PDB file of all heavy atoms in Angstrom:
ATOM      1  N   VAL A   2     -13.597 -12.564  31.762  1.00  0.00           N
ATOM      2  CA  VAL A   2     -14.030 -13.134  33.036  1.00  0.00           C
ATOM      3  C   VAL A   2     -12.870 -13.130  34.037  1.00  0.00           C
ATOM      4  O   VAL A   2     -13.048 -12.784  35.211  1.00  0.00           O
ATOM      5  CB  VAL A   2     -14.570 -14.564  32.843  1.00  0.00           C
ATOM      6  CG1 VAL A   2     -14.854 -15.223  34.186  1.00  0.00           C
ATOM      7  CG2 VAL A   2     -15.842 -14.547  31.999  1.00  0.00           C
ATOM      8  N   LEU A   3     -11.698 -13.498  33.574  1.00  0.00           N
ATOM      9  CA  LEU A   3     -10.544 -13.582  34.481  1.00  0.00           C
ATOM     10  C   LEU A   3     -10.146 -12.224  35.059  1.00  0.00           C
ATOM     11  O   LEU A   3      -9.550 -12.164  36.135  1.00  0.00           O
ATOM     12  CB  LEU A   3      -9.361 -14.216  33.759  1.00  0.00           C
ATOM     13  CG  LEU A   3      -9.455 -15.734  33.540  1.00  0.00           C
ATOM     14  CD1 LEU A   3      -8.357 -16.214  32.603  1.00  0.00           C
ATOM     15  CD2 LEU A   3      -9.388 -16.483  34.865  1.00  0.00           C
ATOM     16  N   LYS A   4     -10.490 -11.130  34.380  1.00  0.00           N
ATOM     17  CA  LYS A   4     -10.213  -9.799  34.921  1.00  0.00           C
ATOM     18  C   LYS A   4     -10.881  -9.604  36.271  1.00  0.00           C
ATOM     19  O   LYS A   4     -10.397  -8.835  37.112  1.00  0.00           O
ATOM     20  CB  LYS A   4     -10.716  -8.719  33.964  1.00  0.00           C
ATOM     21  CG  LYS A   4      -9.903  -8.534  32.708  1.00  0.00           C
ATOM     22  CD  LYS A   4     -10.517  -7.420  31.866  1.00  0.00           C
ATOM     23  CE  LYS A   4      -9.810  -7.257  30.536  1.00  0.00           C
ATOM     24  NZ  LYS A   4     -10.457  -6.206  29.708  1.00  0.00           N
ATOM     25  N   THR A   5     -12.008 -10.278  36.473  1.00  0.00           N
ATOM     26  CA  THR A   5     -12.764 -10.130  37.713  1.00  0.00           C
ATOM     27  C   THR A   5     -11.996 -10.706  38.901  1.00  0.00           C
ATOM     28  O   THR A   5     -12.249 -10.323  40.041  1.00  0.00           O
ATOM     29  CB  THR A   5     -14.118 -10.862  37.570  1.00  0.00           C
ATOM     30  OG1 THR A   5     -14.797 -10.342  36.429  1.00  0.00           O
ATOM     31  CG2 THR A   5     -14.992 -10.678  38.801  1.00  0.00           C
ATOM     32  N   PHE A   6     -11.072 -11.626  38.658  1.00  0.00           N
ATOM     33  CA  PHE A   6     -10.454 -12.390  39.741  1.00  0.00           C
ATOM     34  C   PHE A   6      -9.039 -11.920  40.055  1.00  0.00           C
ATOM     35  O   PHE A   6      -8.200 -12.704  40.496  1.00  0.00           O
ATOM     36  CB  PHE A   6     -10.438 -13.879  39.383  1.00  0.00           C
ATOM     37  CG  PHE A   6     -11.767 -14.404  38.926  1.00  0.00           C
ATOM     38  CD1 PHE A   6     -11.856 -15.233  37.825  1.00  0.00           C
ATOM     39  CD2 PHE A   6     -12.943 -14.053  39.592  1.00  0.00           C
ATOM     40  CE1 PHE A   6     -13.091 -15.715  37.393  1.00  0.00           C
ATOM     41  CE2 PHE A   6     -14.177 -14.521  39.161  1.00  0.00           C
ATOM     42  CZ  PHE A   6     -14.246 -15.350  38.066  1.00  0.00           C
ATOM     43  N   ASP A   7      -8.773 -10.614  39.844  1.00  0.00           N
ATOM     44  CA  ASP A   7      -7.421 -10.125  40.099  1.00  0.00           C
ATOM     45  C   ASP A   7      -7.044 -10.196  41.577  1.00  0.00           C
ATOM     46  O   ASP A   7      -5.865 -10.180  41.932  1.00  0.00           O
ATOM     47  CB  ASP A   7      -7.259  -8.695  39.582  1.00  0.00           C
ATOM     48  CG  ASP A   7      -8.315  -7.742  40.113  1.00  0.00           C
ATOM     49  OD1 ASP A   7      -9.158  -8.161  40.938  1.00  0.00           O
ATOM     50  OD2 ASP A   7      -8.309  -6.563  39.701  1.00  0.00           O
ATOM     51  N   ARG A   8      -8.051 -10.302  42.455  1.00  0.00           N
ATOM     52  CA  ARG A   8      -7.751 -10.424  43.883  1.00  0.00           C
ATOM     53  C   ARG A   8      -7.708 -11.894  44.329  1.00  0.00           C
ATOM     54  O   ARG A   8      -7.591 -12.181  45.512  1.00  0.00           O
ATOM     55  CB  ARG A   8      -8.788  -9.656  44.718  1.00  0.00           C
ATOM     56  CG  ARG A   8     -10.218 -10.121  44.514  1.00  0.00           C
ATOM     57  CD  ARG A   8     -11.207  -9.146  45.163  1.00  0.00           C
ATOM     58  NE  ARG A   8     -12.594  -9.468  44.847  1.00  0.00           N
ATOM     59  CZ  ARG A   8     -13.389 -10.167  45.622  1.00  0.00           C
ATOM     60  NH1 ARG A   8     -12.919 -10.659  46.766  1.00  0.00           N
ATOM     61  NH2 ARG A   8     -14.634 -10.396  45.278  1.00  0.00           N
ATOM     62  N   HIS A   9      -7.823 -12.816  43.379  1.00  0.00           N
ATOM     63  CA  HIS A   9      -7.809 -14.249  43.676  1.00  0.00           C
ATOM     64  C   HIS A   9      -6.583 -14.908  43.042  1.00  0.00           C
ATOM     65  O   HIS A   9      -5.949 -14.347  42.154  1.00  0.00           O
ATOM     66  CB  HIS A   9      -9.059 -14.938  43.116  1.00  0.00           C
ATOM     67  CG  HIS A   9     -10.348 -14.416  43.657  1.00  0.00           C
ATOM     68  ND1 HIS A   9     -10.953 -14.914  44.781  1.00  0.00           N
ATOM     69  CD2 HIS A   9     -11.161 -13.424  43.214  1.00  0.00           C
ATOM     70  CE1 HIS A   9     -12.077 -14.265  45.011  1.00  0.00           C
ATOM     71  NE2 HIS A   9     -12.229 -13.352  44.068  1.00  0.00           N
ATOM     72  N   ALA A  10      -6.289 -16.109  43.497  1.00  0.00           N
ATOM     73  CA  ALA A  10      -5.353 -16.976  42.802  1.00  0.00           C
ATOM     74  C   ALA A  10      -6.162 -17.768  41.786  1.00  0.00           C
ATOM     75  O   ALA A  10      -6.831 -18.743  42.125  1.00  0.00           O
ATOM     76  CB  ALA A  10      -4.655 -17.908  43.791  1.00  0.00           C
ATOM     77  N   ALA A  11      -6.148 -17.305  40.539  1.00  0.00           N
ATOM     78  CA  ALA A  11      -7.056 -17.857  39.531  1.00  0.00           C
ATOM     79  C   ALA A  11      -6.293 -18.647  38.478  1.00  0.00           C
ATOM     80  O   ALA A  11      -5.181 -18.277  38.075  1.00  0.00           O
ATOM     81  CB  ALA A  11      -7.844 -16.744  38.866  1.00  0.00           C
ATOM     82  N   SER A  12      -6.912 -19.731  38.022  1.00  0.00           N
ATOM     83  CA  SER A  12      -6.377 -20.539  36.930  1.00  0.00           C
ATOM     84  C   SER A  12      -7.503 -20.849  35.954  1.00  0.00           C
ATOM     85  O   SER A  12      -8.692 -20.725  36.278  1.00  0.00           O
ATOM     86  CB  SER A  12      -5.780 -21.852  37.448  1.00  0.00           C
ATOM     87  OG  SER A  12      -4.638 -21.611  38.242  1.00  0.00           O
ATOM     88  N   LYS A  13      -7.110 -21.275  34.764  1.00  0.00           N
ATOM     89  CA  LYS A  13      -8.075 -21.607  33.716  1.00  0.00           C
ATOM     90  C   LYS A  13      -7.787 -22.999  33.183  1.00  0.00           C
ATOM     91  O   LYS A  13      -6.631 -23.393  33.040  1.00  0.00           O
ATOM     92  CB  LYS A  13      -7.980 -20.580  32.581  1.00  0.00           C
ATOM     93  CG  LYS A  13      -8.918 -20.842  31.410  1.00  0.00           C
ATOM     94  CD  LYS A  13      -8.693 -19.841  30.279  1.00  0.00           C
ATOM     95  CE  LYS A  13      -7.371 -20.058  29.594  1.00  0.00           C
ATOM     96  NZ  LYS A  13      -7.206 -19.256  28.367  1.00  0.00           N
ATOM     97  N   LEU A  14      -8.869 -23.730  32.891  1.00  0.00           N
ATOM     98  CA  LEU A  14      -8.745 -25.069  32.325  1.00  0.00           C
ATOM     99  C   LEU A  14      -9.716 -25.172  31.154  1.00  0.00           C
ATOM    100  O   LEU A  14     -10.910 -24.896  31.310  1.00  0.00           O
ATOM    101  CB  LEU A  14      -9.053 -26.128  33.388  1.00  0.00           C
ATOM    102  CG  LEU A  14      -8.693 -27.582  33.087  1.00  0.00           C
ATOM    103  CD1 LEU A  14      -7.207 -27.739  32.824  1.00  0.00           C
ATOM    104  CD2 LEU A  14      -9.121 -28.474  34.254  1.00  0.00           C
ATOM    105  N   GLU A  15      -9.219 -25.556  29.985  1.00  0.00           N
ATOM    106  CA  GLU A  15     -10.047 -25.686  28.788  1.00  0.00           C
ATOM    107  C   GLU A  15     -10.175 -27.149  28.385  1.00  0.00           C
ATOM    108  O   GLU A  15      -9.232 -27.928  28.524  1.00  0.00           O
ATOM    109  CB  GLU A  15      -9.434 -24.916  27.611  1.00  0.00           C
ATOM    110  CG  GLU A  15      -9.452 -23.420  27.753  1.00  0.00           C
ATOM    111  CD  GLU A  15      -8.848 -22.746  26.521  1.00  0.00           C
ATOM    112  OE1 GLU A  15      -8.924 -23.328  25.411  1.00  0.00           O
ATOM    113  OE2 GLU A  15      -8.283 -21.641  26.671  1.00  0.00           O
ATOM    114  N   PHE A  16     -11.361 -27.484  27.847  1.00  0.00           N
ATOM    115  CA  PHE A  16     -11.612 -28.832  27.343  1.00  0.00           C
ATOM    116  C   PHE A  16     -12.064 -28.762  25.894  1.00  0.00           C
ATOM    117  O   PHE A  16     -12.559 -27.715  25.434  1.00  0.00           O
ATOM    118  CB  PHE A  16     -12.692 -29.527  28.184  1.00  0.00           C
ATOM    119  CG  PHE A  16     -12.245 -29.853  29.578  1.00  0.00           C
ATOM    120  CD1 PHE A  16     -12.552 -29.008  30.646  1.00  0.00           C
ATOM    121  CD2 PHE A  16     -11.498 -30.980  29.838  1.00  0.00           C
ATOM    122  CE1 PHE A  16     -12.131 -29.293  31.926  1.00  0.00           C
ATOM    123  CE2 PHE A  16     -11.065 -31.281  31.117  1.00  0.00           C
ATOM    124  CZ  PHE A  16     -11.393 -30.427  32.164  1.00  0.00           C
ATOM    125  N   PRO A  17     -11.937 -29.845  25.157  1.00  0.00           N
ATOM    126  CA  PRO A  17     -12.509 -29.873  23.807  1.00  0.00           C
ATOM    127  C   PRO A  17     -14.016 -29.633  23.877  1.00  0.00           C
ATOM    128  O   PRO A  17     -14.687 -30.072  24.820  1.00  0.00           O
ATOM    129  CB  PRO A  17     -12.193 -31.296  23.317  1.00  0.00           C
ATOM    130  CG  PRO A  17     -11.020 -31.729  24.139  1.00  0.00           C
ATOM    131  CD  PRO A  17     -11.202 -31.092  25.480  1.00  0.00           C
ATOM    132  N   ALA A  18     -14.542 -28.932  22.912  1.00  0.00           N
ATOM    133  CA  ALA A  18     -15.978 -28.684  22.877  1.00  0.00           C
ATOM    134  C   ALA A  18     -16.726 -29.976  22.560  1.00  0.00           C
ATOM    135  O   ALA A  18     -16.243 -30.813  21.798  1.00  0.00           O
ATOM    136  CB  ALA A  18     -16.300 -27.617  21.834  1.00  0.00           C
ATOM    137  N   GLY A  19     -17.893 -30.140  23.183  1.00  0.00           N
ATOM    138  CA  GLY A  19     -18.726 -31.284  22.855  1.00  0.00           C
ATOM    139  C   GLY A  19     -18.974 -32.226  24.007  1.00  0.00           C
ATOM    140  O   GLY A  19     -18.296 -32.190  25.045  1.00  0.00           O
ATOM    141  N   GLU A  20     -19.948 -33.095  23.819  1.00  0.00           N
ATOM    142  CA  GLU A  20     -20.450 -33.985  24.856  1.00  0.00           C
ATOM    143  C   GLU A  20     -19.404 -34.962  25.376  1.00  0.00           C
ATOM    144  O   GLU A  20     -19.482 -35.421  26.518  1.00  0.00           O
ATOM    145  CB  GLU A  20     -21.655 -34.763  24.304  1.00  0.00           C
ATOM    146  CG  GLU A  20     -22.554 -35.382  25.346  1.00  0.00           C
ATOM    147  CD  GLU A  20     -23.431 -34.375  26.073  1.00  0.00           C
ATOM    148  OE1 GLU A  20     -23.813 -33.365  25.467  1.00  0.00           O
ATOM    149  OE2 GLU A  20     -23.740 -34.620  27.264  1.00  0.00           O
ATOM    150  N   LEU A  21     -18.403 -35.291  24.563  1.00  0.00           N
ATOM    151  CA  LEU A  21     -17.399 -36.259  24.994  1.00  0.00           C
ATOM    152  C   LEU A  21     -16.551 -35.751  26.160  1.00  0.00           C
ATOM    153  O   LEU A  21     -15.908 -36.540  26.859  1.00  0.00           O
ATOM    154  CB  LEU A  21     -16.495 -36.648  23.813  1.00  0.00           C
ATOM    155  CG  LEU A  21     -17.170 -37.453  22.694  1.00  0.00           C
ATOM    156  CD1 LEU A  21     -16.195 -37.706  21.555  1.00  0.00           C
ATOM    157  CD2 LEU A  21     -17.727 -38.769  23.226  1.00  0.00           C
ATOM    158  N   SER A  22     -16.554 -34.442  26.382  1.00  0.00           N
ATOM    159  CA  SER A  22     -15.795 -33.896  27.515  1.00  0.00           C
ATOM    160  C   SER A  22     -16.522 -34.049  28.842  1.00  0.00           C
ATOM    161  O   SER A  22     -15.946 -33.753  29.895  1.00  0.00           O
ATOM    162  CB  SER A  22     -15.486 -32.411  27.266  1.00  0.00           C
ATOM    163  OG  SER A  22     -14.510 -32.264  26.258  1.00  0.00           O
ATOM    164  N   LYS A  23     -17.745 -34.505  28.800  1.00  0.00           N
ATOM    165  CA  LYS A  23     -18.514 -34.679  30.035  1.00  0.00           C
ATOM    166  C   LYS A  23     -18.248 -36.074  30.584  1.00  0.00           C
ATOM    167  O   LYS A  23     -19.080 -36.969  30.550  1.00  0.00           O
ATOM    168  CB  LYS A  23     -20.008 -34.472  29.734  1.00  0.00           C
ATOM    169  CG  LYS A  23     -20.857 -34.113  30.927  1.00  0.00           C
ATOM    170  CD  LYS A  23     -22.184 -33.566  30.437  1.00  0.00           C
ATOM    171  CE  LYS A  23     -23.334 -34.103  31.239  1.00  0.00           C
ATOM    172  NZ  LYS A  23     -24.629 -33.624  30.751  1.00  0.00           N
ATOM    173  N   SER A  24     -17.024 -36.242  31.122  1.00  0.00           N
ATOM    174  CA  SER A  24     -16.538 -37.580  31.445  1.00  0.00           C
ATOM    175  C   SER A  24     -15.758 -37.584  32.752  1.00  0.00           C
ATOM    176  O   SER A  24     -15.361 -36.532  33.270  1.00  0.00           O
ATOM    177  CB  SER A  24     -15.619 -38.077  30.322  1.00  0.00           C
ATOM    178  OG  SER A  24     -14.444 -37.270  30.271  1.00  0.00           O
ATOM    179  N   PHE A  25     -15.498 -38.793  33.268  1.00  0.00           N
ATOM    180  CA  PHE A  25     -14.674 -38.921  34.464  1.00  0.00           C
ATOM    181  C   PHE A  25     -13.240 -38.457  34.195  1.00  0.00           C
ATOM    182  O   PHE A  25     -12.578 -37.926  35.086  1.00  0.00           O
ATOM    183  CB  PHE A  25     -14.659 -40.374  34.947  1.00  0.00           C
ATOM    184  CG  PHE A  25     -15.880 -40.755  35.735  1.00  0.00           C
ATOM    185  CD1 PHE A  25     -16.740 -41.737  35.268  1.00  0.00           C
ATOM    186  CD2 PHE A  25     -16.163 -40.146  36.940  1.00  0.00           C
ATOM    187  CE1 PHE A  25     -17.865 -42.090  36.005  1.00  0.00           C
ATOM    188  CE2 PHE A  25     -17.270 -40.495  37.677  1.00  0.00           C
ATOM    189  CZ  PHE A  25     -18.131 -41.474  37.215  1.00  0.00           C
ATOM    190  N   GLU A  26     -12.754 -38.667  32.979  1.00  0.00           N
ATOM    191  CA  GLU A  26     -11.402 -38.227  32.650  1.00  0.00           C
ATOM    192  C   GLU A  26     -11.283 -36.709  32.764  1.00  0.00           C
ATOM    193  O   GLU A  26     -10.284 -36.187  33.280  1.00  0.00           O
ATOM    194  CB  GLU A  26     -11.033 -38.687  31.235  1.00  0.00           C
ATOM    195  CG  GLU A  26     -10.845 -40.179  31.077  1.00  0.00           C
ATOM    196  CD  GLU A  26     -12.160 -40.963  31.030  1.00  0.00           C
ATOM    197  OE1 GLU A  26     -13.232 -40.332  30.841  1.00  0.00           O
ATOM    198  OE2 GLU A  26     -12.117 -42.193  31.199  1.00  0.00           O
ATOM    199  N   ALA A  27     -12.311 -35.996  32.292  1.00  0.00           N
ATOM    200  CA  ALA A  27     -12.288 -34.542  32.413  1.00  0.00           C
ATOM    201  C   ALA A  27     -12.377 -34.115  33.875  1.00  0.00           C
ATOM    202  O   ALA A  27     -11.705 -33.175  34.305  1.00  0.00           O
ATOM    203  CB  ALA A  27     -13.443 -33.939  31.612  1.00  0.00           C
ATOM    204  N   CYS A  28     -13.194 -34.826  34.649  1.00  0.00           N
ATOM    205  CA  CYS A  28     -13.282 -34.533  36.093  1.00  0.00           C
ATOM    206  C   CYS A  28     -11.930 -34.706  36.766  1.00  0.00           C
ATOM    207  O   CYS A  28     -11.529 -33.888  37.605  1.00  0.00           O
ATOM    208  CB  CYS A  28     -14.305 -35.454  36.753  1.00  0.00           C
ATOM    209  SG  CYS A  28     -15.942 -34.744  36.847  1.00  0.00           S
ATOM    210  N   GLU A  29     -11.226 -35.762  36.403  1.00  0.00           N
ATOM    211  CA  GLU A  29      -9.918 -36.013  37.000  1.00  0.00           C
ATOM    212  C   GLU A  29      -8.960 -34.867  36.688  1.00  0.00           C
ATOM    213  O   GLU A  29      -8.165 -34.453  37.549  1.00  0.00           O
ATOM    214  CB  GLU A  29      -9.355 -37.335  36.492  1.00  0.00           C
ATOM    215  CG  GLU A  29      -8.051 -37.732  37.167  1.00  0.00           C
ATOM    216  CD  GLU A  29      -7.563 -39.107  36.730  1.00  0.00           C
ATOM    217  OE1 GLU A  29      -8.205 -39.726  35.852  1.00  0.00           O
ATOM    218  OE2 GLU A  29      -6.542 -39.553  37.279  1.00  0.00           O
ATOM    219  N   ALA A  30      -9.044 -34.332  35.476  1.00  0.00           N
ATOM    220  CA  ALA A  30      -8.196 -33.197  35.120  1.00  0.00           C
ATOM    221  C   ALA A  30      -8.520 -31.978  35.979  1.00  0.00           C
ATOM    222  O   ALA A  30      -7.619 -31.222  36.380  1.00  0.00           O
ATOM    223  CB  ALA A  30      -8.365 -32.873  33.638  1.00  0.00           C
ATOM    224  N   ILE A  31      -9.804 -31.773  36.281  1.00  0.00           N
ATOM    225  CA  ILE A  31     -10.204 -30.662  37.150  1.00  0.00           C
ATOM    226  C   ILE A  31      -9.673 -30.872  38.561  1.00  0.00           C
ATOM    227  O   ILE A  31      -9.132 -29.947  39.188  1.00  0.00           O
ATOM    228  CB  ILE A  31     -11.733 -30.504  37.152  1.00  0.00           C
ATOM    229  CG1 ILE A  31     -12.244 -30.091  35.769  1.00  0.00           C
ATOM    230  CG2 ILE A  31     -12.171 -29.478  38.206  1.00  0.00           C
ATOM    231  CD1 ILE A  31     -13.752 -30.054  35.638  1.00  0.00           C
ATOM    232  N   PHE A  32      -9.801 -32.088  39.062  1.00  0.00           N
ATOM    233  CA  PHE A  32      -9.297 -32.378  40.412  1.00  0.00           C
ATOM    234  C   PHE A  32      -7.775 -32.163  40.487  1.00  0.00           C
ATOM    235  O   PHE A  32      -7.263 -31.628  41.477  1.00  0.00           O
ATOM    236  CB  PHE A  32      -9.645 -33.810  40.819  1.00  0.00           C
ATOM    237  CG  PHE A  32     -11.114 -34.091  40.870  1.00  0.00           C
ATOM    238  CD1 PHE A  32     -11.609 -35.356  40.580  1.00  0.00           C
ATOM    239  CD2 PHE A  32     -12.021 -33.098  41.216  1.00  0.00           C
ATOM    240  CE1 PHE A  32     -12.967 -35.624  40.625  1.00  0.00           C
ATOM    241  CE2 PHE A  32     -13.391 -33.360  41.262  1.00  0.00           C
ATOM    242  CZ  PHE A  32     -13.854 -34.621  40.959  1.00  0.00           C
ATOM    243  N   ASP A  33      -7.074 -32.580  39.443  1.00  0.00           N
ATOM    244  CA  ASP A  33      -5.627 -32.376  39.417  1.00  0.00           C
ATOM    245  C   ASP A  33      -5.290 -30.888  39.452  1.00  0.00           C
ATOM    246  O   ASP A  33      -4.358 -30.459  40.159  1.00  0.00           O
ATOM    247  CB  ASP A  33      -5.024 -33.012  38.163  1.00  0.00           C
ATOM    248  CG  ASP A  33      -4.985 -34.539  38.228  1.00  0.00           C
ATOM    249  OD1 ASP A  33      -5.117 -35.087  39.340  1.00  0.00           O
ATOM    250  OD2 ASP A  33      -4.828 -35.170  37.164  1.00  0.00           O
ATOM    251  N   ALA A  34      -6.060 -30.085  38.693  1.00  0.00           N
ATOM    252  CA  ALA A  34      -5.812 -28.644  38.669  1.00  0.00           C
ATOM    253  C   ALA A  34      -6.097 -28.016  40.025  1.00  0.00           C
ATOM    254  O   ALA A  34      -5.336 -27.150  40.495  1.00  0.00           O
ATOM    255  CB  ALA A  34      -6.674 -27.985  37.589  1.00  0.00           C
ATOM    256  N   LEU A  35      -7.169 -28.453  40.678  1.00  0.00           N
ATOM    257  CA  LEU A  35      -7.498 -27.928  42.006  1.00  0.00           C
ATOM    258  C   LEU A  35      -6.413 -28.304  43.019  1.00  0.00           C
ATOM    259  O   LEU A  35      -6.017 -27.488  43.857  1.00  0.00           O
ATOM    260  CB  LEU A  35      -8.856 -28.465  42.460  1.00  0.00           C
ATOM    261  CG  LEU A  35     -10.078 -27.899  41.735  1.00  0.00           C
ATOM    262  CD1 LEU A  35     -11.320 -28.740  42.026  1.00  0.00           C
ATOM    263  CD2 LEU A  35     -10.330 -26.446  42.126  1.00  0.00           C
ATOM    264  N   ALA A  36      -5.930 -29.524  42.923  1.00  0.00           N
ATOM    265  CA  ALA A  36      -4.877 -29.962  43.844  1.00  0.00           C
ATOM    266  C   ALA A  36      -3.592 -29.171  43.627  1.00  0.00           C
ATOM    267  O   ALA A  36      -2.920 -28.761  44.583  1.00  0.00           O
ATOM    268  CB  ALA A  36      -4.624 -31.460  43.661  1.00  0.00           C
ATOM    269  N   GLU A  37      -3.276 -28.945  42.362  1.00  0.00           N
ATOM    270  CA  GLU A  37      -2.059 -28.189  42.058  1.00  0.00           C
ATOM    271  C   GLU A  37      -2.152 -26.748  42.574  1.00  0.00           C
ATOM    272  O   GLU A  37      -1.162 -26.158  43.003  1.00  0.00           O
ATOM    273  CB  GLU A  37      -1.823 -28.190  40.547  1.00  0.00           C
ATOM    274  CG  GLU A  37      -0.507 -27.573  40.137  1.00  0.00           C
ATOM    275  CD  GLU A  37      -0.224 -27.754  38.654  1.00  0.00           C
ATOM    276  OE1 GLU A  37      -0.783 -28.692  38.055  1.00  0.00           O
ATOM    277  OE2 GLU A  37       0.557 -26.956  38.118  1.00  0.00           O
ATOM    278  N   MET A  38      -3.377 -26.193  42.547  1.00  0.00           N
ATOM    279  CA  MET A  38      -3.587 -24.840  43.068  1.00  0.00           C
ATOM    280  C   MET A  38      -3.530 -24.802  44.593  1.00  0.00           C
ATOM    281  O   MET A  38      -3.372 -23.744  45.190  1.00  0.00           O
ATOM    282  CB  MET A  38      -4.958 -24.313  42.635  1.00  0.00           C
ATOM    283  CG  MET A  38      -5.141 -24.080  41.160  1.00  0.00           C
ATOM    284  SD  MET A  38      -6.873 -23.684  40.768  1.00  0.00           S
ATOM    285  CE  MET A  38      -7.042 -22.064  41.525  1.00  0.00           C
ATOM    286  N   GLY A  39      -3.718 -25.964  45.223  1.00  0.00           N
ATOM    287  CA  GLY A  39      -3.866 -25.984  46.669  1.00  0.00           C
ATOM    288  C   GLY A  39      -5.226 -25.505  47.104  1.00  0.00           C
ATOM    289  O   GLY A  39      -5.387 -24.920  48.197  1.00  0.00           O
ATOM    290  N   ALA A  40      -6.241 -25.741  46.259  1.00  0.00           N
ATOM    291  CA  ALA A  40      -7.584 -25.235  46.523  1.00  0.00           C
ATOM    292  C   ALA A  40      -8.188 -25.897  47.759  1.00  0.00           C
ATOM    293  O   ALA A  40      -8.196 -27.122  47.890  1.00  0.00           O
ATOM    294  CB  ALA A  40      -8.481 -25.492  45.318  1.00  0.00           C
ATOM    295  N   SER A  41      -8.718 -25.084  48.649  1.00  0.00           N
ATOM    296  CA  SER A  41      -9.351 -25.579  49.865  1.00  0.00           C
ATOM    297  C   SER A  41     -10.866 -25.499  49.735  1.00  0.00           C
ATOM    298  O   SER A  41     -11.405 -25.233  48.652  1.00  0.00           O
ATOM    299  CB  SER A  41      -8.868 -24.763  51.073  1.00  0.00           C
ATOM    300  OG  SER A  41      -9.064 -23.382  50.840  1.00  0.00           O
ATOM    301  N   ARG A  42     -11.569 -25.710  50.839  1.00  0.00           N
ATOM    302  CA  ARG A  42     -13.030 -25.807  50.774  1.00  0.00           C
ATOM    303  C   ARG A  42     -13.716 -24.479  50.486  1.00  0.00           C
ATOM    304  O   ARG A  42     -14.908 -24.449  50.198  1.00  0.00           O
ATOM    305  CB  ARG A  42     -13.570 -26.395  52.078  1.00  0.00           C
ATOM    306  CG  ARG A  42     -13.128 -27.830  52.301  1.00  0.00           C
ATOM    307  CD  ARG A  42     -13.877 -28.480  53.434  1.00  0.00           C
ATOM    308  NE  ARG A  42     -15.258 -28.771  53.079  1.00  0.00           N
ATOM    309  CZ  ARG A  42     -16.114 -29.401  53.886  1.00  0.00           C
ATOM    310  NH1 ARG A  42     -15.717 -29.772  55.090  1.00  0.00           N
ATOM    311  NH2 ARG A  42     -17.337 -29.630  53.502  1.00  0.00           N
TER     312      ARG A  42
END
């Protein structure tokens, strides 16, 4: 999948498999990653 984004500034974030990852803590990790990338709208 990442091969498709060679013209982008791309990053990857992995979570443990399973329902417990569907949480606010996981969301916060995504927001932190987006902020670190400088992701805009």
Side-chain angles (χ1 to χ4, degrees):
V2 173
L3 285 170
K4 287 181 185 178
T5 304
F6 310 136
D7 53 3
R8 59 191 173 96
H9 300 270
S12 294
K13 179 184 69 171
L14 193 59
E15 291 181 29
F16 291 97
E20 199 74 31
L21 292 177
S22 288
K23 202 164 138 182
S24 66
F25 280 117
E26 291 76 15
C28 267
E29 185 175 3
I31 295 174
F32 299 149
D33 287 343
L35 289 166
E37 187 173 337
M38 294 172 69
S41 53
R42 295 191 72 177

